[in-house]
Amino acid sequence: MTTDTTDATDTVDATSPRNAPFAASRRERAQSLSGRVESRRFGTAVGPVRHVAEDRDRLAAMRWEHFDVKQLGATIGAELHGVDLSGDLDDDTIAEIRAALCAYKVIFFCDQFLTTEQHVAFARRFGELEVHPFIPANDEFPELVHLAKGPEMAGYENGWHSDVSWRIVPSMGAVLRAVEVPASGGDTLFADMCAAYDGLDDEMKERIADMYAIHDYMFVFGRFVPEDKREETRAQFPPARHPVVRTHPETGRKILYVNRGFVDYIEGFEREESDALLQALASQAELPEYQCRFHWEPGSIAFWDNRAVQHYAASDYFPNRRVMERASIIGDRPI
Ligand code: SIN
């Protein structure tokens, strides 16, 4: 494996005649290592992920009127402080929260002890809510998915995905509220799929530019559909054909829009080739440089832009209890 010596250049006194030739050669080497360095053994790369810098700096320069922001990842995730979600927020505040959602791609709120009504009311300010056909709902509010895990119900999270990408019109975003959190563990990780797209090389970008993937609920939710309901459910939710690269309807950013949870295959390829390409693309979500990780406390809320991120719930707390409720806002058909 080669080592990036970029930073070491600074430690050499190039003004000293004794060091001059050495400094020059170091500088040249550093310049030639402008990208990441491939490890031949594992096919991975080490060194700075430079393309995130522009977005990171753009986000750091943003100023907000209705709340304070603490950024979490380089290009993804921010805690919003100084806003009370239980109240009747004015339209300007809602518009600014929406702008922050589009910018940071996932936003977090702490110490918000919302009732279920307040949770639903807050999510509704961003659009109509969907009802999930497979996951159990809150007893009173069908538009709240109830995710209860514990000794009697082991988690099946552990997978990077974008919610309901098997719908023809997947959700725009989701507001997830902690109802009961384990003493440790149970974090949720988020990956910036705009940064993931930007990080692909030009050849791959060109290759996938006009590709479509077929998304299907069957892999994850098929087992919850009773035999006698299979045909009806299939007719209601046929496989959804979405572009592999979608364009964000509000920011105009390109997004790598494939996930291993729900994509069946990439159109136009034999199964093996499609699987290999899907693996290469979907695994971009696993790069820590594109991620942020959120630790839940009582009163925590996460609101993610489901068009721009994938998420992964860490199922490391079994048999302890973790109960969450999610309101999902209906989005646009990906283009
Ligand atoms: C989800 O996948 O929507 C739930 C995420 C979580 O429980 O952290």
Side-chain angles (χ1 to χ4, degrees):
M1 196 183 335
T2 326
T3 310
D4 188 340
T5 55
T6 311
D7 294 334
T9 311
D10 298 334
T11 64
V12 175
D13 177 8
T15 59
S16 153
R18 201 160 66 90
N19 284 341
F22 181 56
S25 73
R26 277 221 170 164
R27 212 174 288 123
E28 274 160 26
R29 278 186 64 201
Q31 274 162 5
S32 73
L33 294 172
S34 58
R36 280 157 58 79
V37 184
E38 296 294 327
S39 154
R40 265 180 286 154
R41 189 159 168 228
F42 298 113
T44 52
V46 295
V49 176
R50 289 165 199 256
H51 75 276
V52 298
E54 195 182 323
D55 203 26
R56 183 194 64 217
D57 295 348
R58 180 183 67 83
L59 294 174
M62 291 183 100
R63 296 291 170 264
W64 304 94
E65 202 181 315
H66 297 91
F67 39 76
D68 296 318
V69 161
K70 181 181 162 211
Q71 273 182 255
L72 297 187
T75 63
I76 178 170
E79 284 177 12
L80 270 52
H81 295 278
V83 63
D84 175 4
L85 305 188
S86 69
D88 191 14
L89 295 170
D90 60 47
D91 290 346
D92 284 354
T93 307
I94 292 292
E96 203 174 42
I97 290 174
R98 191 176 183 115
L101 176 72
C102 289
Y104 303 111
K105 305 162 197 97
V106 52
I107 51 181
F108 305 102
F109 303 88
C110 307
D111 301 319
Q112 306 276 342
F113 296 93
L114 303 188
T115 62
T116 39
E117 287 89 340
Q118 288 166 338
H119 179 183
V120 170
F122 172 68
R124 275 217 183 105
R125 299 293 301 273
F126 300 88
E128 216 182 306
L129 305 184
E130 66 180 35
V131 174
H132 201 289
F134 305 118
I135 310 180
N138 172 287
D139 290 341
E140 281 172 71
F141 294 90
E143 58 277 74
L144 276 187
V145 156
H146 186 76
L147 301 154
K149 307 285 157 53
E152 73 293 345
M153 176 59 171
Y156 52 86
E157 300 105 329
N158 310 82
W160 284 103
H161 66 285
S162 152
D163 285 337
V164 296
S165 69
W166 42 267
R167 283 188 189 270
I168 308 282
V169 178
S171 51
M172 159 287 220
V175 180
L176 186 68
R177 180 172 65 99
V179 177
E180 194 176 333
V181 294
S184 62
D187 295 358
T188 309
L189 289 79
F190 296 87
D192 177 351
M193 300 312 290
C194 301
Y197 172 79
D198 291 346
L200 299 175
D201 61 34
D202 290 345
E203 199 183 319
M204 181 61 96
K205 282 182 182 155
E206 204 175 310
R207 188 170 167 218
I208 63 175
D210 299 316
M211 280 185 192
Y212 281 81
I214 308 302
H215 301 236
D216 198 327
Y217 64 84
M218 274 304 285
F219 310 102
V220 177
F221 297 115
R223 64 198 146 125
F224 301 124
V225 183
E227 188 77 46
D228 61 332
K229 292 268 183 260
R230 291 226 167 121
E231 222 172 291
E232 187 187 319
T233 309
R234 169 51 81 208
Q236 212 181 343
F237 303 105
R241 180 177 181 267
H242 297 311
V244 166
V245 180
R246 72 179 286 188
T247 303
H248 195 287
E250 295 180 67
T251 66
R253 296 277 305 271
K254 288 196 170 164
I255 303 158
L256 187 56
Y257 194 63
V258 283
N259 69 86
R260 277 191 296 242
F262 299 126
V263 171
D264 183 358
Y265 61 92
I266 298 180
E267 212 174 62
F269 293 95
E270 295 297 328
R271 170 65 61 187
E272 209 176 310
E273 213 181 335
S274 164
D275 281 355
L277 184 56
L278 177 59
Q279 168 66 11
L281 296 174
S283 65
Q284 296 302 307
E286 289 157 16
L287 265 73
E289 290 83 357
Y290 300 155
Q291 295 175 6
C292 69
R293 179 176 184 135
F294 187 64
H295 179 66
W296 296 91
E297 297 285 350
S300 298
I301 302 248
F303 185 0
W304 63 88
D305 183 340
N306 191 51
R307 304 161 293 191
V309 305
Q310 288 191 33
H311 58 281
Y312 176 109
S315 188
D316 56 359
Y317 51 90
F318 182 80
N320 296 322
R321 272 179 74 73
R322 180 181 187 268
V323 181
M324 315 292 273
E325 287 197 334
R326 188 182 82 201
S328 293
I329 301 142
I330 296 174
D332 303 278
R333 188 170 184 161
I335 48 170

